[in-house]
Amino acid sequence: MYGALKKFTPVLATLHKARVLKDFVTYSFGSLLLRAVSLFLLPFILRILTPADYGALALITAFITISTAVMGLGLRQLLSIEYFHHNLDGQKTLVNEIILIYTLFALPIITIAWQLRSYINHYIFFNALSSSALLACVTSIFFFFYAELFYQILQYQRRSMQLTLVQIMIASMTTLSTFITVWVFKMGVAGVVWAQACGHICATAIAFFSYYTNQYFQFFSSKKIVAKITPYLNIGLPFIPGIICSWLLASSDRWMLGYYYSMKQVGIYSIADLFAQVFNALVLVPWAGSYLPYILQRYKKHAHELNKIEQENQRTMWISMATALVCITLGLSIGKPLLHWILPPTYHASLNYVWILLMGQVFLLGSYFASAIIQYRKRTLFLALALLAPATVNIILNYILIIPLGILGCSIATLISYFVYFAITALYTKTL
């Protein structure tokens, strides 16, 4: 262990010098503040929302996630592939093209979805939503893309402080709106979704203000953009199967729990999965914002030394995974009494599954490291289809394990599926 740490020290020094550690701490601290605000409100919300209500909310959140990803046509994935291969003017042109293509396709899709709202409510949400909640859901889906595109650009520009401040402001606004709609006006699930929609609208407004002040409009050309629709969709659409598989891997178990058991079980499982989301916010998202731009720029700058750089990346990956495993295990052991005090008794059962779900996130962290070189090499087919096998494994295991084991079966299926994804990604990286 000492030898491994000794080898890791030069890498750590390099990351510090390249401002990666500073950006990571900034993002992580910002995410901590965001989650602290949300988690402070959570005990009050859970005393109003029953486990069945929270289960319905979890289904809405998962539906918004997959809908925004699919409706985005793989354009944000296209940005991640192409952005670092352009100069500043080319990057602004690329952003304009992505915004217009998304808008041209999203407006008719969202209109059709609203016309089909009764079918969506019946077949997807088991008639658990009101018309107000559905309208908030559709609104949130449409504006989500612009907000996330803005955050993605700030990450790639390594403007960590600005991004963190914007996200804290939006999260605070969303939290305040949630408190008002749920606690004051007693709107229940619909109130939470409307608060989220308001947050996405505000983020979009800030994004377009930044768009104007940074003069992105000077690189807008509708004629050129129309010519780019087909080639961009040819690049972006192959990511859709991978996006769907990612959603199946992360969220399909909720629907299977709802089908075989009840919304109450979905709610309890979703609280356990909330800890995985916190890990995602405190570790995975800061990693993507700080380390990924650094390593991609380094690949580009030192293209003749890719093997050496990738070896350092691999060492960083293993030590990061081991550190995460130890911190999670110790943290849960120490913090469990506090969690029993914070959560209402009806949700205490969720704590039995937290460690298993967090181990899945550790393997997901490893796959993020392993896929960096794959993204740089533009292996889009692999990136688009790599999640197909783990998603299939997840569905099969859920089908086998949910009926006899319930929530425990879901948790085990998720852990094994993320391990499969990590193994596939790591093995493919070796071939590069």
Side-chain angles (χ1 to χ4, degrees), residues 12 21 26 63 77 129 147 155 184 275 282 291 343 398 418:
L12 194 63
L21 294 181
T26 301
F63 179 73
Q77 287 71 27
L129 301 187
Q155 284 183 351
V184 178
F275 290 86
L282 296 183
Y291 185 78
L343 292 175
N398 274 312
Y418 278 125

Side-chain angles (χ1 to χ4, degrees), residues 100-253:
L100 183 57
I101 292 172
Y102 167 77
T103 305
L104 288 174
F105 282 88
L107 283 174
I109 293 174
I110 211 71
T111 302
I112 293 172
W114 178 246
Q115 296 300 320
L116 299 175
R117 59 187 180 277
S118 60
Y119 297 97
I120 293 174
N121 193 21
H122 178 71
Y123 290 104
I124 297 180
F125 299 112
F126 310 113
N127 293 317
L129 301 187
S130 64
S131 296
S132 177
L134 284 170
L135 180 59
C137 180
V138 170
T139 303
S140 186
I141 289 170
F142 178 73
F143 286 102
F144 185 89
F145 178 88
Y146 300 113
E148 289 298 310
L149 181 68
F150 177 50
Y151 298 157
Q152 187 176 358
I153 293 169
L154 290 179
Q155 284 183 351
Y156 290 169
Q157 294 174 349
R158 304 189 70 182
R159 295 159 68 182
S160 58
M161 186 59 68
Q162 182 179 346
L163 174 56
T164 300
L165 291 175
V166 170
Q167 288 180 321
I168 290 174
M169 182 177 66
I170 297 300
S172 300
M173 187 180 303
T174 302
T175 302
L176 179 61
S177 300
T178 303
F179 182 82
I180 293 172
T181 55
V182 176
W183 190 263
V184 178
F185 292 105
K186 310 295 184 182
M187 293 176 63
V189 173
V192 179
V193 185
W194 269 118
Q196 293 174 354
C198 290
H200 294 149
I201 292 172
C202 291
T204 301
I206 296 173
F208 276 92
F209 176 78
S210 177
Y211 174 93
Y212 178 79
T213 55
N214 288 285
Q215 300 183 332
Y216 275 75
F217 57 86
Q218 293 184 354
F219 299 87
F220 179 89
S221 174
S222 59
K223 293 182 180 179
K224 292 182 179 180
I225 291 175
V226 170
K228 293 290 184 67
I229 291 178
T230 299
Y232 278 15
L233 291 183
N234 288 338
I235 297 174
L237 288 178
F239 284 100
I240 298 298
I243 293 170
I244 294 174
C245 290
S246 176
W247 174 80
L248 290 173
L249 184 57
S251 303
S252 63
D253 39 20

